[in-house]
Amino acid sequence: MGTIVVGNIKVYAYHGCLYEEAQIGSDYLVNVSVSADLKKAAISDALKDTVDYVHINHIVQEEMATRSKLLEHVAKRIIDRIFSEISIVNSAEVSVAKINPPIGGDVDRVSITLQLTR
């Protein structure tokens, strides 16, 4: 087994329950960690035998572009696509953080993390 991490993917998106969040948008950071059997890739040195982190970034970019009220919802969509499109993945963890959330206080970020095993 092995782990591939794609960290601090910066995205500007329009998630949130408030009307203003849908209009103005906000900065987000997404972190993805996936576990897979990487033994074959370690020997073959072939991209087809591993998890392509470019593909993971593409999934994150597309799913973050689709508005959700809740960060949990967008994180679940990201995990679902990873499992659907990358068969080698056995488990995934996705964290989505909203930078400077509009919650009436001095808060750097709020984040959620979802984990799922195939």
Side-chain angles (χ1 to χ4, degrees), residues 1-4 34-39 50-51 86 88-91:
M1 280 311 235
T3 303
I4 294 177
V34 297
S35 295
D37 185 348
L38 302 178
K39 288 182 281 190
T50 192
V51 177
I86 309 172
I88 191 175
V89 172
N90 296 316
S91 66

Side-chain angles (χ1 to χ4, degrees), residues 11 13 15 28 30 60-66 74 77-78 96:
V11 182
H15 306 299
Y28 292 83
V30 179
V60 168
Q61 297 293 333
E62 283 191 352
E63 293 305 324
M64 288 297 289
T66 300
V74 71
R77 289 198 326 263
I78 292 168
V96 181

Side-chain angles (χ1 to χ4, degrees), residues 9-113:
I9 303 167
K10 296 175 183 165
V11 182
Y12 197 85
Y14 298 87
H15 306 299
C17 294
L18 301 176
Y19 172 80
E20 294 79 14
E21 292 174 301
Q23 301 304 310
I24 299 168
S26 185
D27 289 311
Y28 292 83
L29 287 176
V30 179
N31 290 286
V32 178
S33 176
V34 297
S35 295
D37 185 348
L38 302 178
K39 288 182 281 190
K40 186 174 181 182
I43 293 168
S44 72
D45 195 29
L47 183 59
K48 68 178 180 58
D49 294 330
T50 192
V51 177
D52 184 352
Y53 48 81
V54 172
H55 190 171
I56 290 176
N57 182 60
H58 178 75
I59 290 170
V60 168
Q61 297 293 333
E62 283 191 352
E63 293 305 324
M64 288 297 289
T66 300
R67 178 167 158 62
S68 290
K69 292 178 185 172
L70 301 178
L71 300 180
E72 294 87 341
H73 188 256
V74 71
K76 176 71 165 75
R77 289 198 326 263
I78 292 168
I79 287 177
D80 287 348
R81 288 238 354 240
I82 288 170
F83 281 154
S84 172
E85 297 176 21
I86 309 172
S87 62
I88 191 175
V89 172
N90 296 316
S91 66
E93 178 177 292
V94 174
S95 297
V96 181
K98 181 183 289 192
I99 309 303
N100 298 316
I103 61 175
D106 187 12
V107 177
D108 177 59
R109 71 188 66 188
V110 295
S111 65
I112 65 94
T113 301

